[in-house]
């Protein structure tokens, strides 16, 4: 058995990390497509506030963070849906006010600097059973939600107005999406830390979007890239003695770079092939050859 | 309100024969006003109706309130005053969306590598309420294939939607809108960004949906040519209704009022084509 599996904390880290690696990108796909990446960022600061309050009040910090992100997510979504504030302005209000509260709470109390550091930059190596249970429950909820509301989520992601006219209850979908984003952020926070939570939610998805041709493939690739990031990051951090959160996030970035390169090469190949078929079908019918040539150009937007 | 509605109705169709009264109204604006955030009204006292089988075209310059009108009809906005009804129900409370198709001018999700094939997008048009097993449903449903055939893009079925040209994307969105066989099809500037040849093919498609499939069409455009091909009834709007009636009765004066400068009407040839 390799050295890495001989430590209890590494096994727990791998289990917790893997669950988050499924949870964050599965949900992140819809967040990225709705261009709500900033929500994840905002809610991670709200989570930090929850953690700070949890420390001071001696309540399980992750639990307080979960409550705080859930309430904030609902609040942000209500403000946005009613058009009181533009989406990003509502986010800024929540981001800075929760950060301010966190700073005040932290400055008023002494003695948890080391723990706080862990929450900021990730504590995957000190994950305990309670954390694993919480992440596990969230994982089940999110997976069931994404699977059951797959049609509603994809419709809203494509276009909220079109979704409305198709009969989707867009506002309810958005609200659920926002609340579960809070849960996802809180769970992911344990692995990569508050400051890098957004990375695990967004970057594997960006890599998947570069390569996927249909929606189910994008979902599966996002999760696959998430798992790969966590595994490679944890193994590298173990053997090279690096911060686990940082190693995981750098792995997501490396995967994104590889996906971009692969996607670019594929586009170039497709363009060349597209032109070739465009010429060869020219004899078979006017309408078709026109569209084939068009598609050849369309395949490479760059 | 009923008395007013009667008055408006009488004024609406001065030249139309009685047969109109027999066809049910599918979409009706009654003295509708709308203003964004309490400012200048974007739509001012608009009254008109679309009856089943109509190809209704709403014509107006940019900023004339056309899109607002459409969003009101789709229940995406609530009128500040007056009413907007879809199939006899206030549009903001309307729920029977399988009767309505919509082709937007722009789609929010496109432009960021939206991961969907043309087929997946068209399938969205078949949505009929919560289905927890939707993620496991197979592709290639008959209604999707038929819609793709009708829109003339069956050969693009498995292509990523993002790889399509502007005109092809519009066709994909049409296929999406008609997949569920709606009774009423809304189109918002469907040919902006499409070349002239594509535009003609597109108008042929819409006309045939109207004539052969019996779909009621409600199209908005700033392009008078678009409105003249196949439309059976036309409303010119510049915040309020400037003209309402069959397209061949539009005069240069109406258009001058609409666009703020004299316009020669050179579209009579196109007019003879419509029924």
């Amino acid at each position: 058995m390799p050295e890495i599996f001989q430590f209890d904390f590494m096994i727990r880290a791998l289990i917790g990390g893997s669950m988050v690696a499924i949870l964050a990108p599965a949900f992140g796909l819809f967040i990225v497509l709705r261009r709500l990446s900033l929500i994840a960022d905002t809610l991670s600061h709200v989570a930090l506030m929850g953690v700070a309050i949890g420390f001071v009040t001696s309540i399980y910090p992750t639990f307080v963070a979960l409550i705080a992100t859930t309430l904030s997510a609902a609040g942000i979504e209500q403000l946005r849906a009613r058009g009181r504030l533009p989406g990003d302005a509502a986010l800024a209000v929540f981001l800075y006010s929760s950060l301010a509260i966190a700073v005040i709470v932290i400055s008023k109390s002494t003695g948890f600097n080391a723990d706080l550091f862990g929450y900021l930059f990730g504590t995957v190596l000190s994950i305990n059973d309670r954390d694993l249970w919480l992440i596990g429950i969230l994982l089940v909820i999110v997976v069931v939600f994404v699977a059951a509301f797959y049609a509603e989520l994809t419709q809203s992601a494509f276009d909220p107005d079109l979704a409305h006219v198709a009969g989707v209850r867009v506002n309810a979908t958005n609200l659920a999406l926002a609340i579960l984003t809070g849960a996802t952020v809180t769970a992911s926070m344990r692995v990569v830390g508050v400051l890098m939570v957004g990375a695990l939610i967004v970057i594997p998805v960006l890599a998947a979007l570069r390569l996927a041709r249909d929606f189910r493939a994008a979902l599966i690739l996002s999760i696959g890239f998430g798992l790969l990031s966590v595994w490679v990051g944890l193994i590298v951090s173990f053997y090279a003695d690096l911060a686990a959160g940082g190693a995981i996030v750098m792995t997501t970035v490396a995967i994104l770079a590889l996906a971009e390169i692969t996607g670019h090469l594929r586009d170039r190949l497709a363009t060349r092939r597209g032109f070739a078929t465009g010429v060869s079908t020219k004899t078979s019918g006017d309408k078709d050859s026109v569209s084939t040539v068009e598609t050849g150009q369309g395949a490479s937007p760059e | 309100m009923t008395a007013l509605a009667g008055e408006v109705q009488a004024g609406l169709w001065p030249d139309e024969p009685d047969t109109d009264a027999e066809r049910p109204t599918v979409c009706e604006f009654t003295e509708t006003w709308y203003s964004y955030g309490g400012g200048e009204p974007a739509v001012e006292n608009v009254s008109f109706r679309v009856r089943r089988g109509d190809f209704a075209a709403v014509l107006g310059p940019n900023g004339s309130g056309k899109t607002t009108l459409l969003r009101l009809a789709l229940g995406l906005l609530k009128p500040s005053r007056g009413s907007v009804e879809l199939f006899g129900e206030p549009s903001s409370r309307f729920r029977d969306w399988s009767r309505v198709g919509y082709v937007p001018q722009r789609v929010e999700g496109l432009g960021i590598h939206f991961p969907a094939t043309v087929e997946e997008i068209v399938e969205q048009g078949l949505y009929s309420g919560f289905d927890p097993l939707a993620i496991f449903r197979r592709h290639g449903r008959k209604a999707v294939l038929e819609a793709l055939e009708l829109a003339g893009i069956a050969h693009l079925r498995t292509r990523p939607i993002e790889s399509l040209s502007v005109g092809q994307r519009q066709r994909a969105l049409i296929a999406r809108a008609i997949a569920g066989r709606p009774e009423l099809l809304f189109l918002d500037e469907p040919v902006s960004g499409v070349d002239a040849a594509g535009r003609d093919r597109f108008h042929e498609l819409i006309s045939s949906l109207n004539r052969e499939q019996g779909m009621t069409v409600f199209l908005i455009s700033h392009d008078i040519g678009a409105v003249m091909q196949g439309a059976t009834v036309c409303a010119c709007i510049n915040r309020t209704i400037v003209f309402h009636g069959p397209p061949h009765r539009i005069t240069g004066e109406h258009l001058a009022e609409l666009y703020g400068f004299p316009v020669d009407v050179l579209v009579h040839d196109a007019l003879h084509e419509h029924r």
Side-chain angles (χ1 to χ4, degrees):
Chain A
M1 190 159 68
E3 201 188 348
I4 191 166
F5 294 120
Q6 287 165 14
F7 296 95
D8 213 26
F9 71 88
M10 258 336 268
I11 290 174
R12 261 204 290 268
L14 278 168
I15 295 172
S18 301
M19 289 198 290
V20 167
I22 297 169
L23 178 72
F27 217 63
L29 176 60
F30 300 99
I31 295 170
V32 169
L33 290 176
R34 292 295 317 275
R35 303 181 204 214
L36 293 176
S37 307
L38 206 57
I39 274 204
D41 220 32
T42 304
L43 290 176
S44 67
H45 289 81
V46 173
L48 179 65
M49 176 186 75
V51 166
I53 294 172
F55 271 125
V56 173
T57 55
S58 317
I59 303 170
Y60 178 36
T62 309
F63 181 70
V64 183
L66 185 62
I67 301 289
T69 51
T70 303
L71 294 177
S72 305
I76 291 168
E77 192 47 41
Q78 286 304 307
L79 282 177
R80 210 190 50 76
R82 289 186 192 174
R84 291 282 169 75
L85 286 170
D88 51 348
L91 291 178
V93 172
F94 273 84
L95 194 156
Y96 293 116
S97 53
S98 54
L99 194 55
I101 294 171
V103 167
I104 290 170
V105 171
I106 291 164
S107 71
K108 271 289 163 195
S109 57
T110 48
F112 63 83
N113 280 344
D115 293 331
L116 185 70
F117 191 82
Y119 274 96
L120 283 175
F121 299 106
T123 51
V124 68
L125 299 181
S126 61
I127 250 178
N128 57 34
D129 287 347
R130 191 165 53 172
D131 296 328
L132 287 184
W133 275 110
L134 185 78
I135 296 172
I137 292 167
L138 288 177
L139 176 67
V140 171
I141 293 174
V142 166
V143 166
V144 168
F145 175 79
V146 167
F149 290 93
Y150 175 77
E152 287 78 5
L153 287 167
T154 48
Q155 294 253 12
S156 306
F158 188 58
D159 190 90
D161 289 353
L162 272 176
H164 168 86
V165 177
V168 174
R169 291 177 188 271
V170 178
N171 284 342
T173 308
N174 282 346
L175 184 63
L177 188 68
I179 289 174
L180 286 180
T181 306
T184 306
V185 163
T186 310
S188 317
M189 173 183 80
R190 303 291 293 147
V191 175
V192 287
V194 162
L195 294 179
M196 290 179 285
V197 148
L200 204 53
I201 294 178
V202 171
I203 299 178
V205 173
L206 293 179
L209 288 182
R210 193 65 184 86
L211 299 177
R213 283 166 174 274
D214 65 62
F215 215 96
R216 290 166 180 85
L219 202 53
I220 291 165
L221 269 182
S222 298
I223 293 170
F225 288 154
L227 282 171
L228 193 63
S229 304
V230 167
W231 291 339
V232 171
L234 278 176
I235 291 169
V236 167
S237 81
F238 180 80
Y239 287 106
D241 197 21
L242 302 173
I248 291 170
V249 171
M250 282 317 293
T251 313
T252 64
V253 175
I255 289 172
L256 176 61
L258 284 175
E260 280 295 332
I261 294 168
T262 313
H264 186 70
L265 290 177
R266 197 184 60 186
D267 284 352
R268 286 184 62 173
L269 218 72
T271 310
R272 216 172 295 161
R273 229 180 304 139
F275 277 119
T277 49
V279 172
S280 67
T281 54
K282 212 153 216 165
T283 46
S284 67
D286 269 332
K287 226 171 169 181
D288 271 305
S289 73
V290 169
S291 48
T292 319
V293 173
E294 265 175 36
T295 57
Q297 289 160 340
S300 69
E302 289 88 358
Chain B
M1 196 181 121
T2 40
L4 279 172
E7 208 175 293
V8 169
Q9 207 178 313
L12 277 182
W13 303 88
D15 313 311
E16 291 299 307
D18 288 330
T19 53
D20 266 332
E22 291 159 23
R23 289 183 293 138
T25 302
V26 292
C27 177
E28 180 167 24
F29 292 79
T30 312
E31 301 186 338
T32 308
W33 293 67
Y34 187 83
S35 57
Y36 289 94
E40 283 274 289
V43 165
E44 226 178 288
N45 198 20
V46 165
S47 297
F48 76 92
R49 62 172 55 182
V50 179
R51 287 173 192 277
R52 185 191 286 166
D54 276 345
F55 181 155
V58 174
L59 180 68
N62 291 326
S64 58
K66 305 183 300 287
T67 299
T68 307
L69 215 59
L70 190 73
R71 295 179 67 79
L72 284 163
L74 294 172
L76 293 163
L77 297 173
K78 254 185 178 170
S80 318
R81 246 202 281 169
S83 71
V84 183
E85 289 185 343
L86 269 182
F87 297 99
E89 236 184 289
S91 65
S92 56
R93 273 188 280 146
F94 185 75
R95 293 302 313 168
D96 197 5
W97 289 110
S98 62
R99 303 175 79 177
V100 177
Y102 170 41
V103 181
Q105 188 181 2
R106 226 171 279 115
V107 169
E108 204 174 84
L110 289 180
I112 47 167
H113 290 298
F114 194 89
T117 58
V118 171
E119 184 177 25
E120 281 179 304
I121 294 302
V122 176
E123 271 171 6
Q124 291 191 337
L126 295 177
Y127 179 81
S128 58
F130 177 61
D131 173 12
L133 299 179
I135 193 168
F136 302 113
R137 301 267 178 244
R138 286 257 201 88
H139 292 311
R141 283 189 270 174
K142 201 167 151 248
V144 170
L145 300 179
E146 282 173 4
L148 286 165
E149 288 287 346
L150 266 177
I153 50 165
H155 58 295
L156 301 175
R157 184 170 67 93
T158 56
R159 288 271 306 276
I161 183 89
E162 293 260 11
S163 71
L164 267 51
S165 69
V166 179
Q168 290 170 335
R169 279 185 198 184
Q170 278 301 341
R171 281 175 179 264
L173 290 176
I174 294 243
R176 181 192 180 285
I178 61 179
R181 298 269 158 181
E183 295 163 50
L184 173 58
L185 182 63
F186 288 95
L187 301 121
D188 184 0
E189 300 274 10
V191 288
S192 55
V194 179
D195 62 32
R199 214 170 286 192
D200 285 343
R201 284 207 300 269
F202 194 86
H203 289 133
E204 280 166 30
L205 170 62
I206 303 300
S207 292
S208 78
L209 287 175
N210 176 240
R211 271 195 292 259
E212 284 147 39
Q213 310 287 321
M215 252 174 233
T216 309
V217 175
F218 184 125
L219 176 145
I220 68 171
S221 179
H222 68 273
D223 174 14
I224 181 154
V227 171
M228 292 304 172
Q229 285 178 313
T232 57
V233 54
C234 175
C236 298
I237 171 170
N238 201 347
R239 286 203 288 175
T240 190
I241 294 223
V242 172
F243 165 84
H244 184 270
H248 61 270
R249 294 197 180 265
I250 299 180
T251 65
E253 278 161 45
H254 292 128
L255 294 177
E257 197 177 337
L258 200 59
Y259 290 99
F261 53 84
V263 181
D264 285 327
V265 183
L266 294 172
V267 285
H268 286 288
D269 282 348
L271 288 177
H272 296 306
E273 288 172 16
H274 89 88
R275 50 181 170 162

